[in-house]
């Protein structure tokens, strides 16, 4: 609806003031601009991709981190179990001490009343092979009465280092008296003392390199049995070296990749000292840099709780790798499903926007874009019932004189061709003077000029009259 009033006349034209313009469109309000649909769809795809990818990455990192922590916990637990199995395996040192040793003969030998003891029990190399230990020391209350080490690889004996003999002579009475103060790995309630010890020589081939050993210490008493009481004539120390051949056999028995021990040297350089300090603080060291195996480093403490070696256990990561592989498989399926959903959603949005654009284009055939601009709207979809503006504009009505009389002399097609040809000539003139055609009313044109001045409308009318003179002359 256009409300207007005649303000003045110029050069034969009535100049009117538009006091209000109301355009009624019965359609829902749209919050998006259809011409930007491709940009909006692209932003939706990018945003969806970023959010979903971020969620996948976060879930993958969380899953991997949690599973790594779980794997490390199980690896440490397995290492503890392996160490306990190793300790149980070497407790057969007691075989000689408790089951096969002739304790009464040993007591007599320590007291010096059974000289044939050495020939009967100690001169045979089979003794070491039979009982699978590497050194034996027999003491009375004041000194050692017999000692010998044995290299099971070369089947050759050697003297036990003097430092070892002196160490046990002075320390054993204290160990057995104050068991709870020391690192006793013997079974609870059993007599004697069992612990890890750093033996100064590993073999005949390498006599100056220390080797981790496990030792068993027992007092002997006059009744011919081991006892922890102070009423004893002496004690016996047996030791077994934890060498690589033993560890290989042990690893095969528990169906694991090899277990290894690294005996710590007497003096550590700064780098090794820092590594050892970090290992002691953590309790366990874990190296998971290899994709197929995880390595657990566990400190081994001697009888006096001093670190003397590091156990290295290599465990397979088959379960972890399978879990990670399964996780990636399901993530890939989820990603494909999400991608298909995203494409489907984008197609639906595109189809929706396309339909809205088609609707908008259809409406704009009847509602000029310039009219939308006058209402300060970006699209016809933004125009709502009751929207209005108040401003001065000029309106030009152009009608064909005697059009009814002329139309009676033509058929329908000729009428349409005549009117279209007439409008084809005149419509561009309106645009030249910053106006636009609001509607066609039969053979009438209604043109609007948004300018505050009426000069554009008047000059357009004059130009149309000149153009009509040329058209009529043809």
């Amino acid at each position: 609806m256009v409300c207007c009033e005649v303000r003045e006349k110029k050069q034969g034209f009535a100049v009117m003031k538009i006091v209000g313009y109301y355009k009624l469109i019965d359609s829902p309000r749209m919050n998006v601009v259809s011409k930007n649909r491709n940009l909006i769809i692209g932003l939706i795809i990018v945003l969806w991709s970023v959010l979903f990818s971020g969620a996948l990455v976060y879930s993958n990192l969380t899953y991997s981190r949690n599973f790594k922590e779980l794997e490390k916990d199980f690896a440490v637990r397995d290492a503890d179990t392996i160490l306990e199995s190793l300790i149980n395996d070497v407790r057969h040192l007691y075989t000689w001490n408790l089951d096969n040793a002739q304790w009464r003969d040993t007591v007599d030998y320590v007291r010096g009343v059974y000289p044939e003891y050495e020939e009967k029990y100690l001169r045979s190399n089979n003794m070491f092979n039979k009982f699978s230990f590497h050194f034996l020391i027999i003491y009375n209350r004041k000194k050692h009465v017999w000692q010998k080490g044995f290299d099971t690889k070369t089947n050759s004996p050697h003297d036990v280092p003097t430092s070892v003999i002196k160490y046990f002579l002075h320390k054993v009475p204290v160990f057995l008296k104050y068991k709870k103060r020391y690192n006793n790995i013997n079974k609870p309630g059993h007599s004697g003392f069992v612990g890890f010890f750093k033996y100064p020589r590993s073999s005949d081939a390498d006599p100056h390199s220390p080797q981790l050993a496990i030792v068993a210490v027992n007092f002997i008493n006059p009744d011919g049995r081991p006892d922890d009481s102070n009423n004893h004539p002496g004690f016996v120390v047996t030791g077994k070296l934890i060498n690589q051949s033993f560890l290989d056999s042990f690893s095969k028995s528990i169906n694991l990749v090899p277990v290894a021990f690294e005996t710590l040297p007497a003096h550590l350089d700064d780098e090794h000292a820092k590594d050892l300090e970090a290992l002691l603080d953590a309790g366990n060291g874990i190296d998971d840099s290899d994709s197929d195996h995880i390595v657990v480093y566990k400190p081994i403490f001697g009888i006096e709780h001093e670190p003397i070696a590091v156990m290295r256990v290599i465990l397979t990561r088959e379960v972890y790798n399978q879990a990670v592989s399964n996780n990636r498989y399901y993530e890939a399926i989820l990603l494909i499903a999400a991608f298909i959903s995203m494409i489907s959603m984008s197609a639906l949005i595109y189809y929706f926007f396309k339909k809205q654009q088609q609707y908008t284009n259809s409406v704009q055939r009847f509602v000029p874009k310039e009219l939308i601009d006058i209402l300060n709207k970006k699209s016809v979809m933004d125009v709502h019932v009751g929207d209005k503006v108040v401003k001065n504009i000029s309106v030009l009505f152009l009608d064909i004189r005697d059009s009814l009389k002329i139309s009676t002399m033509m058929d329908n097609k000729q009428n349409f061709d005549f009117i279209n040809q007439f409008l084809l000539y005149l419509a561009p003139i309106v645009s030249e003077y910053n106006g636009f055609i609001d509607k066609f009313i039969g053979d009438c044109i209604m043109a609007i000029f948004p300018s505050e001045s009426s000069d554009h409308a008047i000059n357009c009318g004059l130009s149309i009259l000149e153009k009509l003179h040329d058209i009529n002359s043809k």
Side-chain angles (χ1 to χ4, degrees):
M1 178 179 66
V2 177
C3 299
C4 58
E5 59 177 337
V6 178
R7 297 292 301 277
E8 58 180 320
K9 290 186 177 181
K10 290 185 179 181
Q11 303 184 34
F13 291 94
V15 179
M16 296 176 290
K17 175 184 178 183
I18 300 295
V19 298
Y21 178 81
Y22 301 84
K23 187 67 179 182
L24 303 179
I25 299 179
D26 189 12
S27 64
R29 180 174 183 176
M30 299 296 296
N31 295 322
V32 294
V33 181
S34 58
K35 65 179 181 181
N36 294 328
R37 67 176 181 274
N38 292 333
L39 176 61
I40 294 175
I41 291 174
L43 291 176
I44 291 174
I45 292 175
V46 171
L47 181 61
W48 178 266
S49 301
V50 170
L51 291 177
F52 191 80
S53 300
L56 278 183
V57 171
Y58 176 78
S59 64
N60 182 57
L61 291 176
T62 303
Y63 174 84
S64 299
R65 182 170 59 251
N66 292 340
F67 200 81
K68 274 188 176 182
E69 293 300 322
L70 185 62
E71 181 195 32
K72 290 178 180 179
D73 291 340
F74 277 110
V76 171
R77 190 179 305 174
D78 289 343
D80 292 337
T81 302
I82 291 170
L83 181 59
E84 185 63 30
S85 299
L86 177 66
I87 293 173
N88 289 332
D89 196 65
V90 296
R91 283 195 180 119
H92 69 274
L93 286 170
Y94 280 110
T95 302
W96 186 79
N97 286 24
L98 303 180
D99 299 330
N100 296 282
Q102 300 296 324
W103 285 108
R104 292 185 183 276
D105 292 345
T106 304
V107 171
D108 291 339
Y109 173 67
V110 169
R111 288 176 171 177
V113 296
Y114 189 13
E116 297 83 4
Y117 182 87
E118 291 187 24
E119 186 66 29
K120 185 176 181 179
Y121 297 109
L122 303 178
R123 294 301 183 186
S124 174
N125 290 341
N126 291 332
M127 176 188 67
F128 289 96
N129 288 326
K130 179 180 180 181
F131 302 120
S132 186
F133 53 80
H134 296 91
F135 63 91
L136 168 66
I137 311 172
I138 302 175
Y139 295 87
N140 60 23
R141 295 183 69 91
K142 295 183 178 180
K143 63 179 181 179
H144 78 281
V145 295
W146 192 89
Q147 57 81 22
K148 191 63 65 179
F150 191 79
D151 192 329
T152 55
K153 288 185 178 180
T154 60
N155 287 325
S156 58
H158 62 265
D159 290 331
V160 176
T162 304
S163 60
V164 177
I165 297 173
K166 290 183 177 180
Y167 177 83
F168 286 108
L169 177 63
H170 293 91
K171 290 289 186 178
V172 166
V174 180
F175 292 159
L176 294 179
K177 185 177 181 180
Y178 304 103
K179 283 186 179 182
K180 294 183 179 180
R181 297 183 183 179
Y182 298 96
N183 188 23
N184 179 22
I185 60 175
N186 198 4
K187 290 183 178 180
H190 284 219
S191 61
F193 191 97
V194 179
F196 288 105
F197 178 72
K198 184 162 64 175
Y199 193 65
R201 70 190 313 276
S202 59
S203 65
D204 291 341
D206 194 6
H208 302 293
S209 177
Q211 178 69 54
L212 181 67
I214 190 166
V215 296
V217 182
N218 282 285
F219 284 142
I220 51 178
N221 66 26
D223 296 332
R225 59 183 175 82
D227 193 359
D228 291 345
S229 67
N230 196 35
N231 182 24
H232 66 88
F235 55 90
V236 178
V237 177
T238 53
K240 180 177 181 61
L241 300 185
I242 311 298
N243 53 30
Q244 197 57 48
S245 60
F246 168 76
L247 291 174
D248 291 342
S249 175
F250 171 74
S251 300
K252 187 179 297 184
S253 68
I254 60 176
N255 196 26
L256 286 174
V257 288
V259 178
F261 284 84
E262 179 184 355
T263 306
L264 299 176
H267 302 285
L268 298 175
D269 56 32
D270 293 340
E271 182 177 356
H272 287 84
K274 289 181 180 179
D275 292 342
L276 178 60
E277 183 179 358
L279 180 60
L280 295 177
D281 290 340
N284 296 282
I286 297 178
D287 181 7
D288 58 353
S289 58
D290 186 77
S291 59
D292 296 324
H293 297 93
I294 184 170
V295 184
V296 181
Y297 296 93
K298 191 172 186 64
I300 302 300
F301 298 94
I303 299 174
E304 300 184 69
H305 299 284
E306 77 282 12
I308 59 174
V310 175
M311 181 181 74
R312 183 182 74 239
V313 180
I314 304 175
L315 302 169
T316 180
R317 305 188 72 180
E318 182 178 355
V319 175
Y320 171 78
N321 290 334
Q322 184 64 39
V324 172
S325 177
N326 291 340
N327 182 54
R328 290 174 179 171
Y329 171 75
Y330 290 118
E331 280 186 347
I333 293 178
L334 186 60
L335 183 61
I336 292 173
F339 182 76
I340 294 175
S341 301
M342 179 180 63
I343 294 299
S344 301
M345 182 180 67
S346 301
L348 289 175
I349 294 174
Y350 179 82
Y351 175 78
F352 173 75
F353 280 162
K354 186 177 180 180
K355 283 295 184 181
Q356 291 299 324
Q357 183 64 48
Q358 291 174 349
Y359 173 74
T360 302
N361 293 338
S362 298
V363 173
Q364 285 182 343
R365 294 185 186 133
F366 304 97
V367 181
K369 179 65 171 63
E370 293 82 357
L371 187 59
I372 305 301
D373 294 337
I374 292 177
L375 294 174
N376 297 321
K377 304 294 182 180
K378 293 182 178 180
S379 167
V380 69
M381 306 302 298
D382 295 326
V383 180
H384 308 288
V385 176
D387 287 350
K388 61 183 178 180
V389 293
V390 178
K391 64 180 300 183
N392 292 327
I393 62 174
S394 301
V395 179
L396 172 66
F397 293 93
L398 178 65
D399 193 10
I400 300 176
R401 185 181 300 170
D402 296 330
S403 60
L404 181 61
K405 180 180 178 181
I406 297 173
S407 64
T408 57
M409 296 182 293
M410 302 179 185
D411 58 23
N412 292 336
K413 183 177 184 307
Q414 289 174 334
N415 265 302
F416 277 106
D417 291 341
F418 171 72
I419 293 175
N420 287 337
Q421 188 70 21
F422 170 74
L423 299 177
L424 181 65
Y425 281 113
L426 302 184
I429 300 176
V430 176
S431 299
E432 290 178 8
Y433 289 92
N434 301 321
F436 63 91
I437 296 175
D438 178 64
K439 60 175 64 70
F440 298 102
I441 310 171
D443 62 334
C444 176
I445 295 176
M446 177 180 173
I448 295 177
F449 297 86
S451 175
E452 292 286 337
S453 172
S454 60
D455 293 341
H456 288 166
I458 294 173
N459 292 332
C460 177
L462 295 176
S463 296
I464 289 175
L465 292 177
E466 293 178 3
K467 187 67 176 180
L468 284 174
H469 178 73
D470 294 338
I471 294 174
N472 291 331
S473 65
K474 296 178 180 180

